[in-house]
Amino acid sequence: MGARLQVGVGLGPLVLDDVCVVRICEPRRRLELEAEADPFGTARIAMNLIPWGEHTLFVLDWHPLRGPGIRMHGSRPTTSSRSTTARC
């Protein structure tokens, strides 16, 4: 825990260089990150793997922790918080 990942997100000359910090790590089961996206604030990103018969259910969940994104979270449906099945 506490490992840091440097992340660059953007298009063309508009790139944000930010950091993700590992907050919870349970190998082969769960990973939670805190993403710092200045000037937009921070968000928690949780990824869980759940056995589902012969497959695995991948659950991705996120929510803002600090910054202007807190006001927008939950105000309208998004596609960022979905579940999907994948063969593992």
Side-chain angles (χ1 to χ4, degrees), residues 8 10-11 13 16 20 23 30-31 35 39 41 60-61 63 65 68-69 74-75:
L11 181 63
L16 297 173
C20 288
R23 296 297 183 205
R30 178 177 168 200
L31 178 65
L60 174 65
D61 183 41
H63 71 264
L65 298 173
S75 62

Side-chain angles (χ1 to χ4, degrees), residues 71-85:
R71 289 187 298 269
M72 297 184 299
H73 188 72
S75 62
R76 62 185 173 86
T78 66
T79 58
S80 60
S81 197
R82 298 278 178 153
S83 300
T84 185
T85 56

Side-chain angles (χ1 to χ4, degrees), residues 7-66:
V7 179
V9 178
L11 181 63
L14 302 173
V15 177
L16 297 173
D17 291 315
D18 294 305
V19 175
C20 288
V21 178
V22 176
R23 296 297 183 205
I24 298 173
C25 180
E26 297 174 14
R28 306 185 96 182
R29 189 167 163 253
R30 178 177 168 200
L31 178 65
E32 289 195 17
L33 306 172
E34 183 174 329
E36 301 172 11
D38 288 331
F40 304 107
T42 61
R44 182 191 61 87
I45 303 165
M47 294 162 272
N48 292 290
L49 297 174
I50 302 168
W52 196 267
E54 295 178 9
H55 304 284
T56 300
L57 181 66
F58 174 75
V59 179
L60 174 65
D61 183 41
W62 71 275
H63 71 264
L65 298 173
R66 291 185 294 273

